[in-house]
Structures are given as structure tokens and as C-alpha cells.
Amino acid sequence: MPDFIYLASQSPRRGQLLDQLGVRHLPLLANAPGDQPEDAEALEQVARGEAPATYVQRITGLKLDAALARRERRGLAAAPILCADTSVALGREILGKPQDAQDAARMLARLSGREHRVLSAVALQLDGQRRLTALSVSRVRFAPLSARQIDAYVASGEPLGKAGAYAIQGAAAQHVQHLSGSYSGVMGLPLYETAQLLRLAGVLAS
């Protein structure tokens, strides 16, 4: 078993969370110089009527498929590949990454004073066809947000590029009234579930 894994994610937070586990990881990112272009956003389209849990697990699988093809195409050394995806859901409505500041403000207004779910799927590709998966579901309640609070948060730029238009490890934490589940899962990589998969793969000690 190699002494490292590939992390197929643009998120620096996921790398930092793997560092907490003491797992050596190398990036396996799309659109590297000399490689064929990939449209990562096209993978994230929601199918009509798709449930949030089904969606986040399907997207994670597609991203892992793309990463596996990427590793083979580039002729990289064999090693496990870790992929994860996080979605915010209000009921059955999936709140993705905001398109712009106005969209971010709209999402935050929808989350204000309400409980929502954060679903983080993890998938680990091993040798051959063996793939391990896990799903973390957390519940987060925001305190009621004033228009001024929403505007100030959006103006910080932090909501852009974040599912549900917020990052719990940032300034949004001051508005989180209650969290039930996995804090690291809300950040983007549930450490308990991820560690379980890595132990099954022999990457972490059992």
C-alpha cells in the first residue's frame, strides 16, 4: 500500500482536514497543463426531482470516476483516490454555490432562522473496482439574520464558491445557533466517516 493518497478536490479545507488525520496526500486536480480540459461544473447539475442525499452521492461518484480517469491518463503511480462533495439542503431544495452576490443574499435569507441539512459524501477508490463510500448528514440552524447582517457577510466575499452561501469555519459561525452532527462534515470532509474508510483501506491504523 502506498504511503499517500490522492485528493481529488480543489478545496484547501479538505486538505487541512486530512492533515489533522496525519494522512499524506497529493492533489489530483482537473485542468492541469498538458492534460485534456474537464468541465467540473457540468458534473454538478441536479437531476429533476433528485433527492439531496441521492444527488450528493451521485456527484461524488462522478467526480471520483473523473479523477480515476485523470490518474490513468496522466500515468501517475497507483494509490487510493479520495473524493468528497458537500450539499446544503432546505427540505428537498438543494442550495448550491451562489452565482453572484445577489444569489448569495437570497440563499442566506432562505436559511435565516431555519434549520437545514448539510450532506457530505465521501468516496475512496482503491485498486481495481473496489470503492468505499460514506455519507454524513448534519443539521444546522441559523439564528434570524437581519438584512444588514446578510449584506455585511455577502460583502466579505466569503459566501461565493460555498454551497449554501456560507462557510461555517468563517464569519458565518457567529450566526449558527445549533449544530447536530459533524462540524468537519459541514466544513466539507467528515473526519469520522473519512477515517473509517481510510482504516478499511489500510491507510490509517485500525
Side-chain angles (χ1 to χ4, degrees), residues 50-117:
E50 192 170 26
T54 303
Y55 167 77
V56 73
Q57 292 175 96
R58 178 177 65 82
I59 296 304
T60 302
L62 290 175
K63 289 183 176 181
L64 188 50
D65 290 341
L68 179 60
R70 194 180 305 144
R71 187 192 72 185
E72 294 175 349
R73 192 169 61 241
R74 296 176 187 172
L76 299 174
I81 305 172
L82 182 71
C83 191
D85 195 73
T86 299
S87 292
V88 170
L90 193 58
R92 287 182 61 88
E93 180 186 358
I94 297 170
L95 302 182
K97 298 171 184 175
Q99 297 178 359
D100 51 30
Q102 183 177 2
D103 195 29
R106 178 191 66 82
M107 289 187 189
L108 291 164
R110 297 269 290 130
L111 296 176
S112 173
R114 303 176 69 180
E115 183 179 88
H116 62 273
R117 287 177 296 150

Side-chain angles (χ1 to χ4, degrees), residues 1 13 16 26 62 73 78-79 83 100-101 157 175 178 180:
M1 175 66 66
R13 298 180 304 280
Q16 292 163 3
L26 299 178
L62 290 175
R73 192 169 61 241
C83 191
D100 51 30
H175 305 300
H178 181 75
S180 174

Side-chain angles (χ1 to χ4, degrees), residues 108-115 141-150 174-178:
L108 291 164
R110 297 269 290 130
L111 296 176
S112 173
R114 303 176 69 180
E115 183 179 88
R141 175 178 289 278
F142 273 10
L145 301 173
S146 68
R148 179 176 290 184
Q149 287 173 324
I150 290 174
Q174 66 187 297
H175 305 300
V176 174
Q177 201 170 53
H178 181 75

Side-chain angles (χ1 to χ4, degrees), residues 127-169:
D127 293 336
Q129 300 298 313
R130 191 177 178 213
R131 180 172 293 189
L132 305 175
T133 63
L135 176 67
S136 167
V137 181
S138 300
R139 295 184 179 274
V140 180
R141 175 178 289 278
F142 273 10
L145 301 173
S146 68
R148 179 176 290 184
Q149 287 173 324
I150 290 174
D151 289 344
Y153 185 52
V154 171
S156 74
E158 189 175 274
L160 299 180
K162 309 293 193 307
Y166 77 93
I168 196 166
Q169 72 276 15

